Structures are given as C-alpha cells and as structure tokens.
C-alpha cells in the first residue's frame, strides 16, 4: 500500500517537474528551481519505493503478489535480491529506477552547460513520467496485494498451523485431475484473515519461486546493465529534442556525444552479457539465436552506433562554420534510438509476439497494450513532428565538395550500413505481428555481406584523411595493412579450412580492419592516448567478427552415447563417463566425464536435475575453455537399462547421452566485446572533456 | 553532395531488393489449424499442445524424439523431431514446432515450448549460432 502511494506521489512530482522545466524553457524566471525540486523529489521517492520492494522481497513478505510470484525461501541471497527484476512489474521498476539515476547525472551535466537544462530535463522527465504511469496501480504495479486478483495458493505455501481455521474450509479447492489441494486467495479470505488478526505474511510462508533458468549468476548483473543502456538511450532523444526546441543545432552535437557513446557501450555490453548467459547456461550451444527479445535490444544499439559515426562528421564539419553536415540524419538517428527502445518494449511486453518468442510475456491485457502504443506514439509524434517543423532550418547549405574518397563519405556509408542492419533485424523481428516469422538464415545471410562492407569500410576510412585523399596516397598507406591481411587470410583459409567464399571475404575484411586499427593505435598511443578509443573499439569489433566466423561457421558437433567407464572417441578426444554425483546443498547432479587427448586430460561435469518449480528436466552444459577453442558438453539424457528394454539380472548399463561440440575461437567473441567496451570508455572520457569546450 | 546520394541510393536499393527477396524466401507462416498443415505440406510453424495421454517416444538409434500434437479444434498429428526432448517439455502449456508435414508425420527441426508461468525467460531452443 505504502509503496503504491509513494509511486503515485512520485508520478505527481515527475509531471510537476516536466511543467516547471518547460515553463523555464519558455522564459519564466522562477520555475527552474521548482523543476529541480520536482525532479529530485521524484528520484528520492523512486529510490524509497525500490528499497521498499527490495525489503519486501528480502523479508519474504508473500502478501505481495510480486514477491509470491517470483521468489521463495530457498533462494540464495544474491539471486533473491535479483528477483526484484524477475517479472514484468519489477523490470519496469528497475528501468524507472535506473532512468531516474541517469537523469540525476544528466541534470547535473546539463546545468553546467548554458541554458541546456530546462529543455533536456523537460523531455527526460516526460520519459520518467511515462514509466511512472506504467508502474502505477493502474498498470504494472509491483506493490499489488496477493488478493488483488483471486489466486490459487498451493497448500505447501500456506502456514499449516492455520489450516484448522473453520472459515478456511470454504476456500479449499481440490484439483480433480491431480488431486492437489489449493487455497483460493481473494479479498474475502483476506477480510476473514484480518478479522481474526492473521497477517498475510504469517499466513503465506513460501512463494512460487524463480524460474530455474533465471537461477544464474548473470541474472544479477545482465538485466541492470541492459536497463542502464535502455535508460541512457533516453538521453540522446532529450538532447535532440532540446536542439529542436531551441532551433540551435551546433552545441548539441558535442554535448550529447559522450552520452551517445556511453549509452552504446553499456547497451552493447548488456546485450553480449545476455549472449554469454545463454551460452553458458541454456545449453543450446549458442550465444545468439535471433530471438525477438535479443533482436529488439540489438536494433536500438545498431542505430545508436550509426549515429556515433554521423555525429562525428557533423562535429568535424562544424569547424568550417555552420551547423555541419548530416544535421537532419543525426537528429533522426538520436530520436530513433529511444523510439526503438520503446518499440522493443512494446514487442516483448504487449503480447504481440505471442508464440514467436519464448521470452515474451503472455497477454498482459488490452490496457497495457494501448498504453504502450500511446507511450511510443507520444515520443514518435513529438520527435518527428519537431523535425518536420524545423525542416527548413535544418537544410543549411554547406559549401564543400565531397569526393568519393573522403572519410566523411565513408563514415556516412557506415552509418547507412549499420542502419540497414537495424532495418533487417527490425523487419524480421516485427514479422510475427503479421502472423509470419522469418527463418534465422534471413538474418545471417543478410548480415554476412554487411559485415564484409563494415570491415572494409572501417579499414579504408581510417586510411582516408578527413575530406579528401588522393588515390595515390590511399594506395601507398594501405599497402602494408593490405598485404598483412592477405597473408593472414591465406593462413586462415589454409590452416583453418575456410572454403566458403563469403567467409573468406569476411575473414579478409575483419583482418584488414584489425591490421589498420592496430597500426594506427600503435602510432598514436604515445602521442595522444585519449585519441585511441575509436581504434580500440574497432579492434574489438574485428576480433568479434573473427570469433563469430570461427564459432558459428566452423564448430563441429556430435551426439555421443557414453556408457559408464567405456571410452568413446569423438572430436579427437577420448571421453569416459565415470558416473554421476549429487552436488551438495542442491537437488542437482553432476555427470563426470573425463576427456583425454594425447597426454593431456581434462574433466568436465555437465549438470542435470528435476526442477521443483516446473517438474521439468533441466540441463546445464559444461564448458572447457582453451585459448583457441571451447569444448562444449551439453547433457541430453541419462538412462539405466540394458538397452533392449528387457530386465536382466546383470547390473544395468548406465548410459549418458551428450552433445559435444568444439567451438573454435569463441573466446574472440567475448574478448572482442570487452575490447570494444574499453574503446567506448576511452572515447567517452575524451568526448566528455571536449563537451565543456 | 551528389556523390552522397548516388552512393547511398545504390546501397539502399540493392539491400532493400536483397532483403525483400530473402524475406520472401525465409518467410514462415504460423498455422494453428493442423488440417492446413497436413494438406499444404509447406514449411510452417504449427502451434498446438502436446497430447499427454499419448506420451512421447525417444528413439536412441535414429536420434529422434516423437510425440502427438493437437490443435484448438482437436485435429491431431504426429511430430518427429530430429533431436532430443527439450527442457521443460513435460510442463509445457503449448508447443510451437517448426518444420514440414510429409509422409504421414510432421518433420520438426525446431521445438519451442511455452510454460504456464507468467514471465517466460526460457530459451528452450535447439538452434542458434
């Protein structure tokens, strides 16, 4: 109850803050401070509400529907705390919480940069207002009581000492099929309980628990990072709107640049952490399945990264005066980044994906659906309405020729290629709305040529100087990296057995980028360390692409039946299943397998168990990481029989079935992403300094 | 200035063309009526539920997993999946199989199970990079 009240007051503060900031922009003198007070109060209230929710979870207060639905007594502390964002309501709450904090930094940042604050914060508080409406008692409120809608409690979750209460008998139900007994929890039962002085916390002693596939280390950090990325995507939108409101397109470029970079870095990290989680935990052997939920966070990332490239051109071209090149492109891309985050939320939470994704939330109701449409619609109309309104002012003629061989054009083309990639993913992911779906080869076939172009373009554009380069100069400077790449590609083709022409081209373009970037990074690292961010990020991307080529294109997989203590040779390893053993303090079993190759021996232990949560068999793979490859062992099943189905007097055969696969250079995928993120960090620091100039 | 438009224009046109082509190639229809699935024999995503009373079968030799599915109207069909039983299959509320009906049964290359809990974060996918 108190949580809902706090959130409602926070909503009022947020609306107040929007109005006050807007009035300050309109020229009112005394309203700026009110706007700040409104925003800060909102943040304080949201923080308080979040603490209350976390407290309710940690103290197992199952009188709240959210706590009952997603946690239970047996969860470890860290995971228990992370059930804060295990469900729809809580993840909106997390998004809101992180947005408010990002806004706090933004308020401080913008207050130091001229008259920026009222415009930026008016738009930003509008975004928090919508999130607050989302978690209000009208929609996805995490503080809803358990009896707000009738719910059937399993008998084991109810305190047995109250079972003899006479009025309870009329709330008992027996499931005809399974014979299980349930207690119907509704407002009447709540009233009866309170009349005899029993609190819900005493009455309900355990919760439903967490989906076993969320019971993972990454559950504690992947969602917060991803939602920080989402929250930060609001900032470029706010900056673009601020520029449009003032009709001044010069300053916003350098002011928003560090935010765009930081947002893209964090979102990218969050997305790939999800990929690593999937790889390590979910056992389908991959880190990316083109699942709609994965895709929908990738789309805004791609657009955000595209905007980085054109913002760079605009900033450079401002040196000759005027607002610079690509003013319209940049505004549109920055607006789109946030709108696509909202669209992604709509896709995954409105129920439109239905059967298309395992991730999707099941039918949240028509109201939510409509509200999400209004949410996106507002920001879409507001953003693009303003762009159209200012269109004429944005068409400033810039007197400079563009040659085909210019870095400007290369950067612009890369933004186009990234946007094309975003469009492809968007089209494929949105298809389920129209009752269709695309096969995953749609994405991979489309992206191979794009990735080749990105690699070549990046290498070339760095060799090109700003504006113009003579063909001769380009040839001269590219001889060394080109020859290195040719040799390296040749080695990859011969040693790695790469025989597909597209893969050869992709490998070549990745190595080319790698060579050029490393070359430049080394040349400038002494002179100016702060400048190497972009090169480091591109080295990361090149390594990432090489990792993808190896792990996606050239992994080998076999299914093996391992009879206990009988060696089987597969993938060049001698594998022996040595029996299973229970893991302490859990209901899990590890299946021990020893691997031998030449004189080296290794041990892996994939895990299987029956989950109490859904009575399903859960499997967890085991991964043996080496420098050049991972050996990935995914359990399939275990059987004790003689194989013929007949019972025998002899000891039964114990057979473990696994899929074993070798994933070459998958480490490059992870290190590539990490290096890319480091590049982003270096760039953010540099651009942060520049934004004050 | 002109170069920008020529370059961009060519790239955009080529990619749009390839995308539309591949989209039509990789396009798969959702089908909740098994009569259509059986009569059309086209690659589709059939949605329905597992018939628990008919159980399922795991064939170790041919490495297949087979079961019976039912659509909303009660039409049944046999599904054979080239792989193993997915996590959570027993508790699945509904099942989406991707594949093609041929020679008297549905050849599935992908199974997606949906569980009755509200927040679905299970990737019971058998494919992926």
């Amino acid at each position: 109850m108190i949580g809902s009240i706090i959130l409602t007051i926070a909503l009022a503060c947020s609306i107040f803050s929007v109005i006050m900031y807007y009035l300050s922009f309109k020229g009112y003198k005394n309203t700026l401070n009110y706007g700040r007070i409104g925003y800060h109060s909102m943040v304080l209230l949201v923080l308080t509400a979040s603490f209350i929710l976390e407290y309710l979870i940690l103290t197992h207060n199952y009188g709240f529907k959210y706590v009952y639905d997603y946690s239970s007594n047996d969860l470890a502390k860290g995971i228990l705390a992370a059930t804060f964002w295990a469900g729809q309501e809580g993840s909106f709450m997390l998004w809101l919480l992180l947005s408010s904090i990002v806004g706090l930094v933004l308020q401080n940042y913008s207050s130091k940069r001229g008259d920026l604050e009222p415009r930026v914060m008016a738009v930003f508080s509008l975004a928090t207002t919508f999130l607050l409406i989302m978690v209000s008692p009208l929609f996805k409120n995490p503080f809803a009581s358990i009896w707000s809608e009738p719910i059937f409690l399993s008998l084991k979750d109810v305190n047995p000492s109250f079972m003899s209460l006479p009025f309870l008998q009329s709330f008992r139900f027996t499931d005809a099929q399974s014979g299980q007994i349930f207690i119907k929890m509704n407002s009447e039962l709540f009233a009866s309980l309170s009349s005899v002085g029993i609190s819900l916390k005493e009455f309900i002693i355990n919760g439903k628990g967490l989906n076993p596939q969320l019971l993972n280390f990454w559950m504690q950090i992947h969602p917060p990072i991803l939602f920080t990325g989402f929250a930060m995507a609001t900032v470029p939108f706010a900056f673009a709107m601020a520029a449009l409101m003032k009709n001044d397109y010069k300053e916003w470029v350098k002011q928003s640049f560090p935010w765009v970079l930081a947002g893209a870095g964090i979102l990218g990290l969050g997305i790939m952490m999800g990929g690593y989680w999937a790889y390590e935990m979910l056992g389908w052997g991959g880190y990316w399945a083109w699942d709609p939920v994965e895709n929908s966070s990738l789309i805004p990332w791609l657009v955000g990264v595209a905007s980085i490239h054109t913002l760079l051109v605009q900033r450079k071209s401002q040196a000759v005066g005027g607002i610079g090149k690509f003013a319209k492109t940049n505004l549109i891309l920055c607006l789109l980044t946030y709108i696509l985050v909202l669209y992604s939320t709509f896709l995954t939470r409105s129920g439109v994906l239905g059967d298309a994704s395992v991730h999707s939330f099941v039918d949240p109701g028509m109201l939510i659906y409509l509200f999400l449409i209004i949410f996106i619609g507002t920001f879409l109309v507001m953003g693009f309405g303003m762009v159209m309104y200012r269109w004429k002012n944005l068409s400033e003629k810039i007197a400079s020729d563009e040659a085909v061989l210019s870095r400007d054009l290369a950067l612009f083309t890369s933004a186009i290629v990234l946007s094309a990639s975003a469009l492809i993913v968007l089209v494929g992911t949105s298809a389920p709305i129209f009752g269709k779906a695309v096969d995953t080869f749609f994405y991979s076939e489309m992206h191979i040529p794009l990735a080749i172009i990105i690699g070549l373009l990046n290498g070339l554009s760095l060799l090109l100087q700003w504006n113009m380069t003579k063909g001769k100069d380009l040839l001269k400077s590219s001889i060394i990296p080109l020859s290195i790449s040719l040799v390296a590609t040749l080695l990859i083709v011969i040693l790695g057995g790469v025989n597909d022409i597209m893969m050869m081209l992709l490998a070549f373009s990745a190595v080319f980028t790698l060579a050029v970037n490393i070359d430049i990074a080394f040349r400038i690292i002494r002179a100016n360390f702060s400048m190497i961010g972009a090169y480091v990020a591109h080295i990361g991307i090149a390594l990432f692409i090489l990792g993808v080529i190896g792990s996606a294109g050239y992994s080998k997989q076999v299914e093996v039946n391992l009879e206990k203590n009988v060696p089987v040779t597969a993938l060049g390893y001698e594998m022996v299943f040595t029996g299973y053993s229970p893991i302490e303090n859990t209901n899990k079993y590890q299946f021990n397998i020893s691997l031998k190759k030449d004189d080296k021996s290794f041990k892996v232990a994939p895990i299987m168990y029956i989950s109490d949560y859904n009575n399903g068999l859960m499997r967890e793979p085991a991964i043996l990481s080496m420098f050049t490859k991972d050996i990935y062992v995914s359990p399939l099943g275990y059987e004790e029989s003689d194989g013929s189905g007949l019972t025998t007097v002899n000891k039964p055969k114990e057979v473990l079935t696994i899929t074993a696969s070798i994933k070459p250079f998958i480490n490059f995928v992870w290190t590539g992403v990490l290096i890319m993120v480091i590049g982003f960090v270096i760039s953010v620091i540099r651009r942060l300094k520049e934004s004050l100039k | 200035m002109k170069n920008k438009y020529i370059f961009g224009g060519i790239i955009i046109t080529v990619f749009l063309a390839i995308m539309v082509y591949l989209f039509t190639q990789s396009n798969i229809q959702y089908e909740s009526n098994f009569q259509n699935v059986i009569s059309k024999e086209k690659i589709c995503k059939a949605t329905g539920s597992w018939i628990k009373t008919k159980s399922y079968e795991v064939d170790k030799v041919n490495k297949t997993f087979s079961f019976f599915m039912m659509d909303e109207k009660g039409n049944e069909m046999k599904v054979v999946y080239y792989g193993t039983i997915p996590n959570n299959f027993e508790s699945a509320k509904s099942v989406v199989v991707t594949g093609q009906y041929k020679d008297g049964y549905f050849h599935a290359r992908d199974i997606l199970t949906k569980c009755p809990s509200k927040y679905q974060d299970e990737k019971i996918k058998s494919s992926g990079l």
Side-chain angles (χ1 to χ4, degrees), chain A residues 146-182:
Chain A
I146 193 152
W147 46 268
S148 57
E149 282 168 51
I151 179 174
F152 289 93
L153 305 177
S154 171
L155 206 56
K156 64 175 171 34
D157 296 341
V158 178
N159 193 336
S161 56
F162 298 129
M163 284 321 286
S164 54
L165 287 170
F167 63 79
L168 202 60
Q169 307 318 315
S170 52
F171 295 100
R172 279 175 80 121
F173 289 87
T174 310
D175 183 28
Q177 232 179 1
S178 60
Q180 268 188 299
I181 303 167
F182 293 95

Side-chain angles (χ1 to χ4, degrees), chain A residues 221-278:
Chain A
I221 44 175
H222 161 66
I225 302 237
L226 196 72
F227 278 107
T228 308
F230 274 24
M232 290 189 70
T234 326
V235 182
F237 185 96
F239 273 109
M241 279 303 290
L244 288 161
M245 281 156 85
K246 196 186 174 189
N247 206 8
D248 174 0
Y249 309 99
K250 200 160 161 37
E251 294 294 298
W252 86 281
V253 176
K254 71 172 185 195
Q255 287 168 343
S256 65
F257 208 32
W259 287 90
V260 177
L261 283 165
I266 291 172
L267 188 59
L269 183 67
I271 293 171
M272 261 337 267
M273 269 184 182
Y276 188 77
W277 180 359

Side-chain angles (χ1 to χ4, degrees), chain A residues 86 211 284 358-359 437 619, chain B residues 28 85 87 119-122 125:
Chain A
N211 188 322
W284 41 256
V358 269
H359 275 86
R619 311 178 180 90
Chain B
I28 305 172
I85 175 166
N87 277 358
Y119 178 53
Q120 311 290 332
D121 206 27
E122 290 128 76
K125 294 215 82 173

Side-chain angles (χ1 to χ4, degrees), chain A residues 388-407:
Chain A
M388 304 237 258
Y389 178 66
R390 300 287 195 203
W391 194 257
K392 275 186 186 154
N393 305 70
L394 286 165
S395 306
E396 193 177 306
K397 201 90 192 116
I398 295 144
S400 75
D401 269 335
E402 275 181 73
V404 177
L405 286 179
S406 82
R407 198 190 240 193

